[in-house]
């Protein structure tokens, strides 16, 4: 119940295309859903995050879509660029239940072809 | 410092030896977390500190793993009698307050290889 399932494991997209990464969870107590971006040899860095009281959040080319009833959320990268090539992790946490840690998905390795 | 600093960046050790991994969080951050990242796996939670106390150690894989934090700052993760399955990247993160709805700042990690 504490798991966050992420797919696909890897993704190849042409420059200018849309990259879509999906995550699903079971614990309805989760109330915060961040996405982290990790480049090789670096630690993950926060990209964008959403709370379940909204269905979508957009920051530049990055958008999170959230479906509370389906317990799913996804990251959309519009106009994907080679510089977006990295590993992306979704995560979930629950402040209200006192779960002061992120539960991470297994990651998606994105490659954007020039 | 400007960010979370971890040392060493790489560590190769022989099976059965003890290792210590160090984390220097961002100054003033009260919460500190350790995660483990294995090849093809996500980030596995190990332990977190609020100040110098560790309210949640539930992710430590065995009693060979321990961690401490002193002065509300530097943290050390110790692995005793290392095994090959301990090989992974160990990541430290800090936050101004407990995670849950706030950004976590990660270090670059320590890549541990047990041979």
């Amino acid at each position: 119940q504490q798991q966050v399932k992420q797919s696909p494991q890897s993704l190849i997209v042409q420059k200018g295309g849309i990259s879509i990464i999906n995550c699903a969870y079971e614990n309805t107590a989760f109330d915060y859903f961040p996405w982290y971006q990790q480049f090789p040899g670096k630690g993950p860095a926060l990209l964008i995050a959403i709370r379940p009281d909204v269905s979508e959040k957009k920051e530049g080319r990055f958008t999170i879509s959230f479906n509370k009833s389906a317990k799913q959320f996804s990251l959309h990268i519009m106009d994907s660029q080679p510089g977006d090539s990295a590993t992306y992790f979704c995560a979930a946490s629950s402040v209200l239940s006192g779960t002061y840690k992120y539960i991470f998905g297994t990651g998606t390795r994105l490659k954007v072809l020039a | 410092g400007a960010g979370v600093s971890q040392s060493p960046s790489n560590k190769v050790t022989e099976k059965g030896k003890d290792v210590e991994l160090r984390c220097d969080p961002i100054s003033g951050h009260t919460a500190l977390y350790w995660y483990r990242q294995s090849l093809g796996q996500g980030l596995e939670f190990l332990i977190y500190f609020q100040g110098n106390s560790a309210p949640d150690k539930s992710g430590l894989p065995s009693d060979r793993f321990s961690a401490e934090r002193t002065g509300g700052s530097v943290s050390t993760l110790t692995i005793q009698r290392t095994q090959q399955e301990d090989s992974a990247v160990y990541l430290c993160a800090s936050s101004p307050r407990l995670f849950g709805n706030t950004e976590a700042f990660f270090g670059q990690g320590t890549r541990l290889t047990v041979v």
Side-chain angles (χ1 to χ4, degrees):
Chain A
Q1 195 180 24
Q2 282 286 70
Q3 284 186 332
V4 176
K5 296 182 179 180
Q6 184 172 348
S7 63
Q9 188 173 12
S10 63
L11 182 62
I12 300 175
V13 174
Q14 293 288 339
K15 179 181 175 181
I18 302 174
S19 304
I20 301 175
I21 304 170
N22 301 298
C23 285
Y25 64 97
E26 294 187 0
N27 187 352
T28 55
F30 285 145
D31 55 16
Y32 186 66
F33 302 89
W35 284 89
Y36 277 76
Q37 179 187 54
Q38 184 179 31
F39 293 104
K42 303 292 185 182
L46 179 66
L47 187 62
I48 186 173
I50 197 170
R51 290 182 172 78
D53 53 344
V54 297
S55 61
E56 185 176 282
K57 182 175 181 179
K58 183 177 181 179
E59 291 184 2
R61 295 184 294 108
F62 301 91
T63 299
I64 300 179
S65 297
F66 187 84
N67 187 328
K68 188 174 182 178
S69 61
K71 290 184 284 187
Q72 295 176 348
F73 59 109
S74 60
L75 176 70
H76 295 235
I77 306 175
M78 312 299 288
D79 186 27
S80 299
Q81 299 297 312
D84 297 331
S85 297
T87 300
Y88 293 81
F89 293 95
C90 62
S93 67
S94 173
V95 176
L96 293 179
S97 68
T99 304
Y100 296 116
K101 60 193 177 189
Y102 290 150
I103 307 298
F104 284 90
T106 51
T108 296
R109 183 171 293 185
L110 171 65
K111 184 176 179 64
V112 181
L113 301 176
Chain B
V4 177
S5 178
Q6 291 186 246
S7 60
S9 55
N10 282 285
K11 176 71 176 179
V12 180
T13 190
E14 292 181 351
K15 178 181 174 181
K17 295 287 180 72
D18 298 352
V19 295
E20 285 188 353
L21 312 180
R22 177 187 169 105
C23 173
D24 283 88
I26 293 173
S27 178
H29 281 194
T30 58
L32 185 148
Y33 293 72
W34 284 98
Y35 281 81
R36 180 168 71 174
Q37 184 175 21
S38 302
L39 188 64
Q41 302 294 317
L43 283 72
E44 176 189 8
F45 169 78
L46 298 178
I47 186 172
Y48 85 79
F49 291 89
Q50 177 67 4
N52 292 333
S53 64
D56 189 346
K57 308 178 183 180
S58 63
L60 294 178
S62 73
D63 58 8
R64 296 186 296 104
F65 288 73
S66 63
E68 66 174 10
R69 189 181 185 193
T70 56
S73 181
V74 173
S75 177
T76 302
L77 177 68
T78 301
I79 308 173
Q80 296 179 311
R81 306 181 303 281
T82 52
Q83 303 294 314
Q84 288 186 331
E85 61 263 29
D86 299 334
S87 296
V89 175
Y90 290 81
L91 289 161
C92 173
S94 71
S95 177
R97 58 184 188 275
L98 289 176
F99 278 15
N101 60 355
T102 183
E103 181 173 358
F105 296 84
F106 282 85
Q108 82 283 4
T110 292
R111 180 176 297 277
L112 175 65
T113 303
V114 181
V115 297

